[in-house]
């Protein structure tokens, strides 16, 4: 696989692509849905809920945490996660700016 030439794209394009990449996995979307629906921090109960191995869930949580959409705290042996609302709203703005563009075309192939 070739090297991605991210430097030829704008910061906005790179940021949006990173967000799409991280959010492009159904397990990560399921994790976000679960956390949102709990309306509280969650602590180590995703394995039973999603049916994935702990190591797999940990990797997905790491990716979500890397883009800042979730935050976690360590309490003893438990790691608790919740949605980081400021980042959630920021990502929503990026997506809205992208999807709210006018795409009316007079002619199409």
């Amino acid at each position: 696989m070739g090297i991605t030439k991210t430097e030829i794209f704008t910061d906005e394009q790179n940021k949006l692509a990173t967000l799409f990449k991280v959010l492009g996995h159904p397990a990560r979307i399921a994790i976000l849905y679960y956390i949102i629906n709990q309306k509280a921090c969650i602590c180590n109960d995703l394995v039973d809920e999603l049916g994935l191995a702990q190591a797999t869930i940990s990797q997905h949580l790491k990716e979500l945490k890397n883009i800042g959409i979730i935050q976690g705290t360590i309490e003893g042996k438990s790691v608790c996660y919740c949605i980081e609302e400021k980042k959630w709203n920021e990502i929503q703005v990026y997506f809205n700016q992208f999807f709210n563009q006018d795409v009316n075309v007079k002619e199409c192939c």
Side-chain angles (χ1 to χ4, degrees):
M1 186 186 321
I3 297 173
T4 303
K5 296 184 178 184
T6 57
E7 69 273 358
I8 66 171
F9 303 105
T10 67
D11 287 342
E12 181 180 327
Q13 290 167 336
N14 283 306
K15 180 142 182 113
L16 197 56
T18 299
L19 293 172
F20 277 123
K21 183 177 179 181
V22 171
L23 296 175
H25 196 289
R28 295 180 193 143
I29 298 301
I31 289 168
L32 291 172
Y33 268 121
Y34 183 75
I35 295 172
I36 291 165
N37 289 327
Q38 297 308 301
K39 301 191 184 317
C41 288
I42 55 130
C43 301
N44 292 342
D45 49 1
L46 287 171
V47 173
D48 293 333
E49 193 63 35
L50 300 178
L52 298 172
Q54 181 62 54
T56 302
I57 290 174
S58 292
Q59 184 60 39
H60 289 304
L61 288 168
K62 179 182 173 192
E63 292 295 327
L64 292 168
K65 195 169 179 184
N66 284 344
I67 64 167
I69 199 165
I70 62 171
Q71 58 187 355
T73 58
I74 299 172
E75 297 174 11
K77 293 183 179 182
S78 295
V79 180
C80 297
Y81 290 98
C82 62
I83 299 293
E84 203 295 291
E85 291 183 50
K86 184 177 177 186
K87 188 64 170 188
W88 179 269
N89 294 331
E90 181 184 310
I91 290 171
Q92 187 176 32
V93 168
Y94 283 126
F95 283 176
N96 286 340
Q97 288 172 346
F98 181 72
F99 285 111
N100 286 336
Q101 297 180 76
D102 185 15
V103 294
N104 292 329
V105 180
K106 294 181 181 165
E107 288 185 38
C108 189
C109 41

